[in-house]
Structure formats: C-alpha cells, structure tokens
Coordinates of all heavy atoms in Angstrom, one line a residue:
R1 N 0.8 -1.2 0.0 CA 0.0 0.0 0.0 C 0.9 1.2 0.0 O 0.5 2.2 -0.6 CB -0.9 0.0 1.2 CG -2.0 -1.0 1.1 CD -2.9 -0.8 2.3 NE -3.9 -1.9 2.4 CZ -4.9 -1.9 3.2 NH1 -5.0 -1.0 4.1 NH2 -5.7 -2.9 3.2
K2 N 1.9 1.2 0.8 CA 2.8 2.3 0.9 C 3.4 2.7 -0.5 O 3.4 3.9 -0.9 CB 3.9 2.0 1.9 CG 4.7 3.2 2.4 CD 5.7 2.7 3.4 CE 6.1 3.8 4.3 NZ 7.1 3.4 5.3
W3 N 3.8 1.7 -1.3 CA 4.4 1.9 -2.6 C 3.3 2.4 -3.6 O 3.6 3.1 -4.5 CB 5.0 0.6 -3.1 CG 6.2 0.3 -2.4 CD1 6.4 -0.7 -1.4 CD2 7.5 0.9 -2.5 NE1 7.6 -0.7 -1.0 CE2 8.4 0.2 -1.6 CE3 8.0 1.9 -3.3 CZ2 9.7 0.5 -1.5 CZ3 9.4 2.2 -3.2 CH2 10.2 1.5 -2.3
A4 N 2.1 1.9 -3.4 CA 1.0 2.3 -4.4 C 0.7 3.8 -4.3 O 0.3 4.4 -5.3 CB -0.2 1.5 -4.1
R5 N 0.9 4.4 -3.2 CA 0.5 5.8 -3.0 C 1.6 6.8 -3.6 O 1.3 7.8 -4.0 CB 0.4 6.1 -1.5 CG -0.9 5.6 -1.0 CD -1.2 6.1 0.4 NE -1.3 4.9 1.2 CZ -0.8 4.6 2.4 NH1 0.0 5.5 3.0 NH2 -1.0 3.5 3.0
G6 N 2.8 6.4 -3.5 CA 3.9 7.3 -3.9 C 4.4 6.9 -5.3 O 4.1 6.0 -5.9
V7 N 5.4 7.8 -5.7 CA 6.1 7.5 -6.9 C 7.3 6.7 -6.7 O 8.0 6.9 -5.7 CB 6.5 8.9 -7.5 CG1 7.3 8.7 -8.8 CG2 5.3 9.8 -7.8
L8 N 7.5 5.7 -7.5 CA 8.7 4.9 -7.3 C 9.9 5.5 -8.0 O 9.8 5.8 -9.2 CB 8.4 3.5 -8.0 CG 9.4 2.4 -7.9 CD1 9.7 2.1 -6.4 CD2 9.0 1.2 -8.6
N9 N 10.9 5.7 -7.3 CA 12.1 6.3 -7.9 C 13.0 5.2 -8.4 O 13.3 4.2 -7.7 CB 12.9 7.1 -6.8 CG 12.1 8.3 -6.4 OD1 11.5 9.0 -7.3 ND2 12.1 8.7 -5.2
C10 N 13.5 5.4 -9.6 CA 14.4 4.4 -10.2 C 15.7 5.1 -10.6 O 15.7 6.3 -10.9 CB 13.8 3.8 -11.5 SG 12.5 2.6 -11.1
E11 N 16.7 4.4 -10.7 CA 18.0 4.9 -11.2 C 17.8 5.3 -12.7 O 17.1 4.7 -13.4 CB 19.1 3.9 -11.1 CG 19.4 3.4 -9.7 CD 20.0 4.6 -8.9 OE1 20.8 5.4 -9.4 OE2 19.6 4.7 -7.7
P12 N 18.5 6.4 -13.1 CA 18.4 6.8 -14.5 C 18.7 5.7 -15.5 O 18.1 5.6 -16.6 CB 19.3 7.9 -14.6 CG 19.5 8.4 -13.2 CD 19.3 7.2 -12.3
E13 N 19.7 4.8 -15.2 CA 20.1 3.7 -16.1 C 18.9 2.7 -16.3 O 18.7 2.2 -17.4 CB 21.3 3.0 -15.5 CG 22.5 3.8 -15.4 CD 22.6 4.7 -14.2 OE1 21.9 4.4 -13.2 OE2 23.3 5.7 -14.2
V14 N 18.2 2.5 -15.2 CA 17.1 1.6 -15.2 C 16.0 2.1 -16.1 O 15.4 1.5 -17.0 CB 16.5 1.2 -13.8 CG1 15.3 0.4 -13.9 CG2 17.6 0.5 -13.0
L15 N 15.7 3.4 -15.9 CA 14.6 4.1 -16.7 C 15.0 4.1 -18.2 O 14.2 3.8 -19.1 CB 14.4 5.5 -16.2 CG 13.7 5.6 -14.8 CD1 13.7 7.0 -14.4 CD2 12.3 5.0 -14.9
A16 N 16.3 4.3 -18.5 CA 16.8 4.4 -19.9 C 16.6 3.0 -20.5 O 16.2 2.9 -21.7 CB 18.2 4.9 -19.9
A17 N 17.0 2.0 -19.8 CA 16.9 0.6 -20.3 C 15.4 0.2 -20.6 O 15.1 -0.4 -21.6 CB 17.5 -0.4 -19.3
L18 N 14.5 0.6 -19.6 CA 13.1 0.3 -19.8 C 12.6 1.0 -21.1 O 11.8 0.5 -21.9 CB 12.3 0.7 -18.6 CG 12.4 -0.2 -17.4 CD1 11.8 0.4 -16.2 CD2 11.8 -1.6 -17.7
E19 N 12.9 2.3 -21.2 CA 12.5 3.1 -22.3 C 13.0 2.5 -23.6 O 12.2 2.4 -24.6 CB 13.0 4.5 -22.2 CG 12.4 5.5 -23.2 CD 12.7 6.9 -23.0 OE1 13.1 7.3 -21.8 OE2 12.7 7.7 -24.0
A20 N 14.2 2.1 -23.7 CA 14.8 1.5 -24.9 C 14.0 0.2 -25.2 O 13.7 -0.1 -26.4 CB 16.2 1.2 -24.7
E21 N 13.7 -0.6 -24.2 CA 12.9 -1.9 -24.4 C 11.5 -1.6 -25.0 O 11.1 -2.2 -25.9 CB 12.9 -2.6 -23.1 CG 12.6 -4.1 -23.3 CD 13.6 -4.9 -24.0 OE1 14.8 -4.5 -24.0 OE2 13.2 -5.8 -24.7
F22 N 10.9 -0.6 -24.5 CA 9.5 -0.3 -24.9 C 9.5 0.4 -26.3 O 8.6 0.2 -27.1 CB 8.8 0.6 -23.9 CG 8.3 -0.1 -22.7 CD1 8.8 0.1 -21.5 CD2 7.3 -1.1 -22.9 CE1 8.4 -0.6 -20.4 CE2 6.9 -1.8 -21.8 CZ 7.4 -1.6 -20.5
R23 N 10.6 1.0 -26.7 CA 10.7 1.6 -28.0 C 10.7 0.6 -29.1 O 10.3 0.8 -30.2 CB 11.9 2.5 -28.1 CG 11.6 3.8 -27.4 CD 12.6 4.9 -27.8 NE 12.3 6.1 -27.1 CZ 13.2 7.1 -26.9 NH1 14.4 7.0 -27.4 NH2 12.8 8.1 -26.2
K24 N 11.2 -0.6 -28.8 CA 11.2 -1.7 -29.7 C 9.8 -2.0 -30.2 O 9.6 -2.4 -31.4 CB 11.8 -3.0 -29.1 CG 13.3 -2.9 -28.8 CD 13.8 -4.2 -28.2 CE 15.2 -4.1 -27.7 NZ 15.6 -5.3 -27.0
F25 N 8.9 -1.9 -29.3 CA 7.5 -2.3 -29.7 C 6.9 -1.2 -30.6 O 6.1 -1.5 -31.5 CB 6.6 -2.4 -28.5 CG 7.0 -3.5 -27.6 CD1 7.5 -3.3 -26.3 CD2 6.8 -4.8 -28.0 CE1 7.8 -4.3 -25.5 CE2 7.1 -5.9 -27.2 CZ 7.7 -5.6 -25.9
E26 N 7.3 0.0 -30.5 CA 6.8 1.1 -31.4 C 7.2 0.9 -32.8 O 6.5 1.2 -33.7 CB 7.4 2.4 -30.9 CG 6.8 2.9 -29.6 CD 7.5 4.1 -29.1 OE1 8.3 4.7 -29.7 OE2 7.1 4.6 -28.0
R27 N 8.4 0.3 -33.1 CA 8.9 0.1 -34.4 C 8.3 -1.2 -35.1 O 8.3 -1.2 -36.3 CB 10.4 -0.1 -34.4 CG 11.1 1.2 -34.1 CD 12.6 1.1 -34.2 NE 13.1 1.6 -32.9 CZ 14.0 1.0 -32.1 NH1 14.6 -0.1 -32.5 NH2 14.4 1.5 -31.0
E28 N 7.8 -2.1 -34.4 CA 7.3 -3.3 -34.9 C 5.8 -3.1 -35.3 O 5.0 -2.6 -34.5 CB 7.4 -4.5 -34.0 CG 8.9 -4.8 -33.7 CD 9.1 -5.9 -32.7 OE1 8.1 -6.6 -32.4 OE2 10.2 -6.1 -32.2
P29 N 5.4 -3.6 -36.5 CA 4.0 -3.4 -36.8 C 3.1 -4.3 -35.9 O 3.5 -5.5 -35.6 CB 3.9 -3.9 -38.3 CG 5.2 -4.7 -38.5 CD 6.2 -4.2 -37.5
A30 N 2.0 -3.9 -35.5 CA 1.2 -4.6 -34.6 C -0.3 -4.6 -35.1 O -0.7 -3.6 -35.7 CB 1.2 -4.1 -33.2
D31 N -1.0 -5.6 -34.9 CA -2.4 -5.7 -35.3 C -3.2 -4.9 -34.2 O -2.8 -4.9 -33.0 CB -2.9 -7.1 -35.3 CG -2.2 -7.9 -36.4 OD1 -1.8 -7.4 -37.4 OD2 -2.1 -9.2 -36.2
S32 N -4.3 -4.4 -34.6 CA -5.1 -3.8 -33.6 C -5.9 -4.9 -32.9 O -5.9 -6.0 -33.3 CB -6.2 -2.8 -34.3 OG -7.1 -3.6 -35.0
F33 N -6.5 -4.6 -31.8 CA -7.2 -5.5 -31.0 C -8.3 -6.1 -31.9 O -8.6 -7.4 -31.8 CB -7.8 -4.9 -29.7 CG -8.6 -5.8 -28.9 CD1 -8.0 -6.8 -28.1 CD2 -10.0 -5.8 -28.9 CE1 -8.7 -7.7 -27.4 CE2 -10.7 -6.7 -28.2 CZ -10.1 -7.6 -27.4
V34 N -9.0 -5.3 -32.6 CA -10.1 -5.8 -33.5 C -9.6 -6.8 -34.5 O -10.2 -7.8 -34.8 CB -10.8 -4.6 -34.1 CG1 -11.9 -5.1 -35.1 CG2 -11.5 -3.7 -33.1
E35 N -8.4 -6.5 -35.1 CA -7.9 -7.4 -36.1 C -7.5 -8.8 -35.5 O -7.8 -9.8 -36.1 CB -6.6 -6.8 -36.8 CG -7.0 -5.6 -37.7 CD -5.8 -4.9 -38.1 OE1 -4.7 -4.8 -37.4 OE2 -5.8 -4.3 -39.2
R36 N -7.0 -8.7 -34.3 CA -6.6 -10.0 -33.6 C -7.9 -10.8 -33.3 O -7.9 -12.0 -33.4 CB -5.8 -9.7 -32.3 CG -4.5 -9.2 -32.6 CD -3.8 -8.9 -31.3 NE -2.5 -8.2 -31.6 CZ -1.6 -7.8 -30.7 NH1 -1.9 -8.0 -29.4 NH2 -0.5 -7.2 -31.0
L37 N -8.9 -10.0 -32.8 CA -10.1 -10.7 -32.4 C -10.8 -11.4 -33.7 O -11.3 -12.5 -33.6 CB -11.1 -9.7 -31.8 CG -12.3 -10.2 -31.1 CD1 -12.0 -11.2 -30.0 CD2 -13.2 -9.1 -30.6
E38 N -10.8 -10.7 -34.8 CA -11.3 -11.2 -36.0 C -10.5 -12.4 -36.5 O -11.1 -13.4 -36.9 CB -11.3 -10.2 -37.1 CG -12.3 -9.1 -36.9 CD -12.2 -7.9 -37.9 OE1 -11.2 -7.9 -38.7 OE2 -13.1 -7.0 -37.9
R39 N -9.2 -12.4 -36.3 CA -8.4 -13.6 -36.7 C -8.7 -14.8 -35.8 O -8.9 -15.9 -36.3 CB -6.9 -13.2 -36.6 CG -6.0 -14.3 -37.2 CD -4.6 -14.0 -37.3 NE -4.3 -12.5 -37.4 CZ -3.3 -11.9 -36.8 NH1 -2.5 -12.5 -36.0 NH2 -3.2 -10.6 -37.0
V40 N -8.9 -14.5 -34.5 CA -9.2 -15.6 -33.6 C -10.6 -16.2 -34.0 O -10.8 -17.4 -34.0 CB -9.2 -15.2 -32.1 CG1 -9.8 -16.2 -31.2 CG2 -7.8 -14.9 -31.7
A41 N -11.6 -15.3 -34.2 CA -12.9 -15.8 -34.6 C -12.9 -16.6 -35.9 O -13.6 -17.6 -36.0 CB -13.9 -14.6 -34.7
G42 N -12.1 -16.1 -36.8 CA -12.0 -16.9 -38.1 C -11.4 -18.3 -37.9 O -11.8 -19.2 -38.5
C43 N -10.4 -18.3 -37.0 CA -9.8 -19.6 -36.7 C -10.8 -20.5 -35.9 O -10.8 -21.8 -36.2 CB -8.5 -19.4 -35.9 SG -7.2 -18.6 -36.8
I44 N -11.6 -20.0 -35.1 CA -12.6 -20.8 -34.4 C -13.6 -21.4 -35.4 O -14.0 -22.5 -35.2 CB -13.3 -20.0 -33.3 CG1 -12.3 -19.7 -32.1 CG2 -14.5 -20.7 -32.7 CD1 -12.8 -18.7 -31.1
E45 N -13.9 -20.6 -36.4 CA -14.9 -21.0 -37.4 C -14.3 -22.2 -38.2 O -15.1 -23.1 -38.7 CB -15.3 -19.9 -38.3 CG -16.1 -18.9 -37.7 CD -17.5 -19.4 -37.3 OE1 -18.1 -20.2 -38.0 OE2 -17.9 -19.1 -36.2
K46 N -13.0 -22.3 -38.3 CA -12.4 -23.4 -39.0 C -12.3 -24.7 -38.2 O -11.9 -25.8 -38.8 CB -11.0 -23.0 -39.5 CG -11.0 -21.9 -40.5 CD -9.6 -21.4 -40.8 CE -9.6 -20.2 -41.7 NZ -8.2 -19.8 -42.0
L47 N -12.5 -24.7 -36.9 CA -12.4 -25.9 -36.1 C -13.4 -26.9 -36.5 O -14.5 -26.6 -37.0 CB -12.6 -25.5 -34.6 CG -11.6 -24.7 -33.9 CD1 -12.1 -24.3 -32.5 CD2 -10.3 -25.4 -33.8
P48 N -13.1 -28.2 -36.3 CA -14.1 -29.3 -36.5 C -15.3 -29.0 -35.5 O -15.1 -28.4 -34.5 CB -13.3 -30.5 -36.0 CG -11.9 -30.2 -36.1 CD -11.8 -28.7 -35.9
P49 N -16.5 -29.4 -36.0 CA -17.7 -29.1 -35.2 C -17.7 -29.4 -33.7 O -18.1 -28.6 -32.9 CB -18.8 -29.9 -35.9 CG -18.3 -30.1 -37.3 CD -16.8 -30.2 -37.2
L50 N -17.2 -30.6 -33.3 CA -17.2 -30.9 -31.9 C -16.3 -30.0 -31.1 O -16.7 -29.5 -30.0 CB -16.7 -32.4 -31.7 CG -17.7 -33.5 -32.1 CD1 -17.0 -34.8 -31.9 CD2 -18.9 -33.4 -31.2
L51 N -15.1 -29.6 -31.6 CA -14.3 -28.7 -30.9 C -14.8 -27.3 -30.9 O -14.8 -26.6 -29.9 CB -12.9 -28.7 -31.6 CG -12.1 -30.1 -31.6 CD1 -10.8 -29.9 -32.2 CD2 -12.0 -30.7 -30.2
R52 N -15.4 -26.9 -32.0 CA -15.9 -25.5 -32.1 C -17.1 -25.4 -31.1 O -17.2 -24.4 -30.4 CB -16.4 -25.2 -33.6 CG -16.9 -23.8 -33.7 CD -17.3 -23.4 -35.1 NE -18.3 -24.3 -35.7 CZ -18.1 -25.2 -36.7 NH1 -17.0 -25.3 -37.3 NH2 -19.1 -25.9 -37.1
E53 N -18.0 -26.3 -31.1 CA -19.1 -26.3 -30.2 C -18.6 -26.2 -28.7 O -19.1 -25.4 -27.9 CB -20.0 -27.6 -30.3 CG -21.1 -27.6 -29.4 CD -21.9 -28.9 -29.5 OE1 -21.3 -30.0 -29.7 OE2 -23.1 -28.9 -29.4
S54 N -17.6 -27.0 -28.4 CA -17.1 -27.0 -27.0 C -16.5 -25.6 -26.6 O -16.8 -25.1 -25.6 CB -16.0 -28.0 -26.8 OG -16.6 -29.3 -27.0
V55 N -15.8 -25.0 -27.6 CA -15.2 -23.7 -27.3 C -16.2 -22.6 -27.2 O -16.2 -21.8 -26.3 CB -14.2 -23.3 -28.4 CG1 -13.8 -21.9 -28.4 CG2 -12.9 -24.2 -28.3
E56 N -17.2 -22.7 -28.1 CA -18.3 -21.7 -28.0 C -19.1 -21.7 -26.8 O -19.5 -20.7 -26.2 CB -19.2 -21.8 -29.3 CG -18.5 -21.4 -30.6 CD -19.3 -21.6 -31.8 OE1 -20.3 -22.4 -31.7 OE2 -18.9 -21.1 -32.9
L57 N -19.4 -23.0 -26.3 CA -20.2 -23.1 -25.1 C -19.4 -22.8 -23.8 O -19.9 -22.1 -22.9 CB -20.7 -24.5 -25.0 CG -21.8 -24.8 -26.0 CD1 -22.2 -26.3 -26.0 CD2 -23.0 -24.0 -25.8
V58 N -18.1 -23.2 -23.8 CA -17.3 -22.9 -22.6 C -16.9 -21.4 -22.5 O -17.1 -20.8 -21.5 CB -16.1 -23.8 -22.5 CG1 -15.1 -23.4 -21.4 CG2 -16.5 -25.3 -22.3
Y59 N -16.3 -20.9 -23.6 CA -15.8 -19.5 -23.6 C -16.9 -18.5 -24.0 O -16.9 -17.4 -23.4 CB -14.6 -19.4 -24.5 CG -13.4 -20.2 -23.9 CD1 -12.9 -21.3 -24.6 CD2 -12.8 -19.8 -22.8 CE1 -11.9 -22.0 -24.1 CE2 -11.7 -20.4 -22.3 CZ -11.2 -21.6 -22.9 OH -10.1 -22.2 -22.5
G60 N -17.7 -18.8 -25.0 CA -18.7 -17.9 -25.4 C -19.9 -17.7 -24.5 O -20.4 -16.6 -24.3
R61 N -20.3 -18.8 -23.9 CA -21.5 -18.8 -23.1 C -21.2 -19.0 -21.6 O -22.2 -19.0 -20.8 CB -22.5 -19.8 -23.6 CG -23.0 -19.5 -25.0 CD -24.1 -20.3 -25.5 NE -24.4 -20.0 -26.9 CZ -25.5 -20.4 -27.5 NH1 -26.4 -21.1 -26.8 NH2 -25.6 -20.1 -28.7
G62 N -20.0 -19.3 -21.3 CA -19.6 -19.4 -19.9 C -20.1 -20.7 -19.3 O -20.2 -20.8 -18.0
M63 N -20.4 -21.7 -20.0 CA -20.8 -23.0 -19.5 C -19.6 -23.7 -18.8 O -18.5 -23.7 -19.4 CB -21.4 -23.9 -20.6 CG -22.0 -25.2 -20.2 SD -22.7 -26.1 -21.6 CE -24.4 -26.0 -21.2
S64 N -19.8 -24.3 -17.7 CA -18.8 -25.1 -17.1 C -18.4 -26.3 -17.8 O -19.3 -26.9 -18.5 CB -19.1 -25.4 -15.6 OG -20.1 -26.4 -15.6
V65 N -17.2 -26.8 -17.7 CA -16.8 -28.0 -18.3 C -17.7 -29.2 -17.8 O -18.1 -30.1 -18.6 CB -15.3 -28.3 -18.0 CG1 -14.9 -29.6 -18.5 CG2 -14.5 -27.2 -18.7
Q66 N -17.9 -29.2 -16.5 CA -18.8 -30.3 -15.9 C -20.2 -30.3 -16.5 O -20.7 -31.3 -16.9 CB -18.8 -30.1 -14.4 CG -19.6 -31.2 -13.7 CD -19.6 -31.0 -12.2 OE1 -19.4 -29.8 -11.7 NE2 -19.8 -32.0 -11.5
A67 N -20.8 -29.1 -16.6 CA -22.1 -29.0 -17.2 C -22.2 -29.4 -18.7 O -23.1 -30.0 -19.1 CB -22.7 -27.6 -17.0
L68 N -21.1 -29.0 -19.4 CA -21.1 -29.3 -20.8 C -20.9 -30.8 -21.0 O -21.6 -31.4 -21.8 CB -19.9 -28.6 -21.5 CG -19.8 -28.8 -23.0 CD1 -21.1 -28.5 -23.7 CD2 -18.7 -28.0 -23.5
G69 N -20.1 -31.4 -20.1 CA -20.0 -32.9 -20.2 C -21.3 -33.6 -20.0 O -21.6 -34.5 -20.7
K70 N -22.1 -33.2 -19.0 CA -23.4 -33.8 -18.7 C -24.3 -33.5 -19.9 O -25.0 -34.4 -20.3 CB -24.0 -33.2 -17.5 CG -23.3 -33.7 -16.2 CD -24.0 -33.1 -15.0 CE -23.3 -33.5 -13.7 NZ -23.8 -32.9 -12.5
A71 N -24.3 -32.3 -20.5 CA -25.2 -32.0 -21.6 C -24.8 -32.9 -22.9 O -25.7 -33.3 -23.6 CB -25.1 -30.5 -22.0
L72 N -23.5 -33.1 -23.1 CA -23.1 -33.9 -24.3 C -23.0 -35.4 -24.0 O -22.7 -36.1 -24.9 CB -21.8 -33.3 -24.7 CG -21.7 -31.9 -25.2 CD1 -20.3 -31.5 -25.6 CD2 -22.6 -31.7 -26.4
L73 N -23.3 -35.8 -22.8 CA -23.2 -37.2 -22.3 C -21.8 -37.7 -22.5 O -21.5 -38.8 -23.0 CB -24.2 -38.0 -23.1 CG -25.6 -37.6 -22.9 CD1 -26.5 -38.4 -23.8 CD2 -26.1 -37.7 -21.5
V74 N -20.8 -36.9 -22.2 CA -19.4 -37.3 -22.2 C -18.8 -36.9 -20.8 O -19.3 -36.2 -20.1 CB -18.6 -36.7 -23.3 CG1 -19.1 -37.1 -24.7 CG2 -18.5 -35.2 -23.2
T75 N -17.6 -37.5 -20.6 CA -16.9 -37.2 -19.3 C -16.4 -35.7 -19.3 O -16.2 -35.1 -20.3 CB -15.8 -38.1 -19.0 OG1 -14.7 -37.9 -20.0 CG2 -16.2 -39.6 -19.1
E76 N -16.2 -35.3 -18.1 CA -15.6 -33.9 -17.9 C -14.2 -33.9 -18.6 O -13.8 -32.9 -19.2 CB -15.5 -33.6 -16.4 CG -15.0 -32.2 -16.1 CD -15.1 -32.0 -14.6 OE1 -15.9 -32.6 -13.9 OE2 -14.3 -31.1 -14.2
E77 N -13.4 -35.0 -18.5 CA -12.1 -35.1 -19.1 C -12.2 -35.0 -20.6 O -11.3 -34.4 -21.2 CB -11.4 -36.4 -18.6 CG -10.9 -36.3 -17.2 CD -10.0 -35.2 -16.8 OE1 -9.1 -34.9 -17.6 OE2 -10.3 -34.5 -15.8
A78 N -13.2 -35.6 -21.2 CA -13.4 -35.5 -22.6 C -13.6 -34.1 -23.1 O -13.0 -33.6 -24.1 CB -14.5 -36.4 -23.1
V79 N -14.4 -33.3 -22.3 CA -14.6 -31.9 -22.6 C -13.3 -31.1 -22.5 O -13.0 -30.3 -23.3 CB -15.7 -31.3 -21.8 CG1 -15.9 -29.8 -22.0 CG2 -17.0 -32.0 -22.0
K80 N -12.6 -31.4 -21.4 CA -11.3 -30.6 -21.2 C -10.4 -30.9 -22.3 O -9.7 -30.0 -22.8 CB -10.7 -31.1 -19.9 CG -11.3 -30.6 -18.6 CD -10.6 -31.1 -17.4 CE -11.2 -30.7 -16.1 NZ -10.5 -31.2 -14.9
K81 N -10.3 -32.1 -22.8 CA -9.4 -32.5 -23.9 C -9.9 -31.8 -25.2 O -9.0 -31.3 -26.0 CB -9.4 -34.0 -24.1 CG -8.3 -34.5 -25.0 CD -6.9 -34.1 -24.3 CE -5.8 -34.6 -25.1 NZ -4.5 -34.2 -24.6
R82 N -11.2 -31.7 -25.4 CA -11.7 -31.1 -26.6 C -11.3 -29.6 -26.6 O -10.8 -29.0 -27.6 CB -13.2 -31.1 -26.7 CG -13.7 -32.5 -27.1 CD -15.2 -32.5 -27.2 NE -15.7 -33.9 -27.4 CZ -17.0 -34.2 -27.4 NH1 -17.9 -33.3 -27.3 NH2 -17.3 -35.4 -27.6
V83 N -11.5 -29.0 -25.5 CA -11.1 -27.5 -25.3 C -9.6 -27.3 -25.5 O -9.2 -26.4 -26.1 CB -11.7 -27.0 -24.0 CG1 -11.1 -25.6 -23.7 CG2 -13.2 -27.0 -23.9
Q84 N -8.9 -28.2 -24.9 CA -7.4 -28.1 -25.0 C -7.0 -28.2 -26.5 O -6.2 -27.4 -27.0 CB -6.7 -29.2 -24.2 CG -5.2 -29.2 -24.3 CD -4.6 -30.4 -23.6 OE1 -5.2 -31.4 -23.4 NE2 -3.3 -30.3 -23.3
R85 N -7.5 -29.2 -27.2 CA -7.2 -29.4 -28.6 C -7.6 -28.2 -29.4 O -6.9 -27.7 -30.3 CB -7.8 -30.6 -29.2 CG -7.2 -31.9 -28.7 CD -7.8 -33.1 -29.3 NE -7.2 -34.3 -28.8 CZ -7.8 -35.4 -28.5 NH1 -9.1 -35.5 -28.7 NH2 -7.2 -36.5 -28.0
A86 N -8.8 -27.7 -29.1 CA -9.3 -26.5 -29.8 C -8.4 -25.3 -29.6 O -8.0 -24.6 -30.6 CB -10.7 -26.2 -29.4
R87 N -7.9 -25.1 -28.4 CA -7.0 -24.0 -28.1 C -5.7 -24.1 -28.8 O -5.2 -23.1 -29.4 CB -6.8 -23.9 -26.6 CG -8.0 -23.4 -25.8 CD -7.9 -23.4 -24.4 NE -6.6 -23.0 -23.9 CZ -6.3 -23.0 -22.6 NH1 -7.1 -23.5 -21.7 NH2 -5.1 -22.6 -22.2
Q88 N -5.2 -25.3 -28.9 CA -3.9 -25.5 -29.6 C -4.1 -25.2 -31.1 O -3.3 -24.6 -31.7 CB -3.5 -27.0 -29.4 CG -3.0 -27.3 -28.0 CD -2.7 -28.7 -27.8 OE1 -3.2 -29.6 -28.5 NE2 -1.9 -29.0 -26.7
L89 N -5.2 -25.7 -31.7 CA -5.5 -25.4 -33.1 C -5.7 -24.0 -33.4 O -5.2 -23.5 -34.4 CB -6.7 -26.3 -33.6 CG -6.5 -27.8 -33.7 CD1 -7.8 -28.5 -34.0 CD2 -5.4 -28.1 -34.8
V90 N -6.4 -23.3 -32.5 CA -6.6 -21.9 -32.7 C -5.3 -21.1 -32.6 O -5.0 -20.2 -33.4 CB -7.6 -21.3 -31.7 CG1 -7.7 -19.8 -31.7 CG2 -9.0 -21.9 -32.1
A91 N -4.5 -21.5 -31.7 CA -3.2 -20.8 -31.5 C -2.3 -21.0 -32.8 O -1.7 -20.1 -33.2 CB -2.4 -21.4 -30.3
R92 N -2.3 -22.2 -33.3 CA -1.5 -22.5 -34.5 C -2.1 -21.7 -35.7 O -1.3 -21.2 -36.4 CB -1.6 -24.0 -34.8 CG -0.7 -24.4 -35.9 CD -0.7 -25.9 -36.3 NE -0.7 -26.7 -35.1 CZ -1.3 -27.9 -35.1 NH1 -1.9 -28.4 -36.1 NH2 -1.3 -28.7 -34.0
C93 N -3.4 -21.7 -35.8 CA -4.0 -20.9 -36.9 C -3.7 -19.4 -36.8 O -3.4 -18.8 -37.8 CB -5.5 -21.2 -36.8 SG -6.5 -20.2 -38.0
V94 N -3.8 -18.9 -35.6 CA -3.5 -17.4 -35.4 C -2.1 -17.1 -35.8 O -1.8 -16.0 -36.3 CB -3.8 -17.0 -34.0 CG1 -3.3 -15.7 -33.6 CG2 -5.3 -17.0 -33.7
Q95 N -1.2 -18.0 -35.6 CA 0.2 -17.8 -35.9 C 0.5 -18.1 -37.4 O 1.6 -18.0 -37.8 CB 1.1 -18.7 -35.0 CG 1.0 -18.3 -33.6 CD 1.8 -19.2 -32.7 OE1 2.3 -20.3 -33.1 NE2 1.8 -18.9 -31.4
G96 N -0.5 -18.4 -38.2 CA -0.4 -18.5 -39.6 C -0.4 -20.0 -40.1 O -0.2 -20.2 -41.3
G97 N -0.6 -20.9 -39.2 CA -0.7 -22.3 -39.6 C -2.1 -22.7 -39.9 O -3.1 -21.9 -39.8
A98 N -2.2 -23.9 -40.3 CA -3.6 -24.5 -40.7 C -4.2 -25.1 -39.5 O -3.5 -25.5 -38.5 CB -3.4 -25.6 -41.8
V99 N -5.5 -25.2 -39.5 CA -6.3 -25.8 -38.4 C -6.3 -27.3 -38.6 O -6.4 -27.8 -39.7 CB -7.7 -25.3 -38.4 CG1 -8.6 -26.1 -37.4 CG2 -7.7 -23.8 -38.0

C-alpha cells in the first residue's frame, strides 16, 4: 500500500533501459485488437464441429466443463481435452498455420 501511494524512484540507467525496451514495440507493426479478435474468430470457425461447439459453449456462453460434459453425455475429461485441442489449433491458426 505504501508503494502504491507514492512515486517509485528508479535509477536513470534503469529508466533508460526500460524506455529502450519499450521503443522496440513502437517500431514493430502490430495488429489492432479488433484485427486480432477477427483472426481468432476466423480460426474458431475453421475448427471441427465438436471442438468448435465446446469452445463456443465454454468460452462464449460461460458453461462449465462439468455442465457441458453432462449435456453432451461425455466425461468432464473428454470436454477438457476437446477444449485443449481447440485452443492448440486456434493458437496454431492465429500464428499462420492451418487448423
């Protein structure tokens, strides 16, 4: 709490190093948040139906893994594995790979 109220003093060398590190990001092209979100949504659309449905229900609608397992008549572990596989495929797709 004490630190949160005041200004943190740093050595000039530390501030210079931090500033240099953050300037690297300014030079690199970056997608906007909306572009990233659109890319993720496009990758989710490419998922196989079972994986896409699991991701949409767990992340999109906030359904618990346990509840989804009961609804789909599969084990909780099966739902976890589907979501894990879907996340891996989406990550690969977002980085430019195929689903």
Side-chain angles (χ1 to χ4, degrees):
R1 288 185 188 185
K2 198 175 196 179
W3 290 102
R5 284 187 237 135
V7 175
L8 181 62
N9 291 322
C10 289
E11 297 295 321
E13 297 83 20
V14 174
L15 291 175
L18 287 171
E19 187 173 337
E21 200 61 33
F22 283 115
R23 284 194 181 165
K24 290 179 186 176
F25 295 113
E26 293 174 359
R27 288 184 234 135
E28 297 177 11
D31 298 330
S32 71
F33 179 75
V34 172
E35 290 170 331
R36 290 179 187 179
L37 190 60
E38 288 172 351
R39 191 173 328 139
V40 169
C43 290
I44 290 172
E45 288 299 317
K46 294 177 185 176
L47 289 173
L50 287 175
L51 299 182
R52 185 176 58 245
E53 178 185 38
S54 297
V55 166
E56 288 174 349
L57 291 172
V58 170
Y59 292 110
R61 298 190 185 194
M63 186 178 247
S64 72
V65 172
Q66 184 179 19
L68 182 56
K70 286 180 182 178
L72 297 176
L73 303 174
V74 297
T75 66
E76 187 176 333
E77 289 303 313
V79 174
K80 286 181 184 179
K81 194 63 176 175
R82 286 180 188 179
V83 171
Q84 178 187 19
R85 286 183 183 140
R87 288 173 41 183
Q88 290 171 341
L89 288 172
V90 169
R92 188 181 318 151
C93 175
V94 166
Q95 294 171 357
V99 171

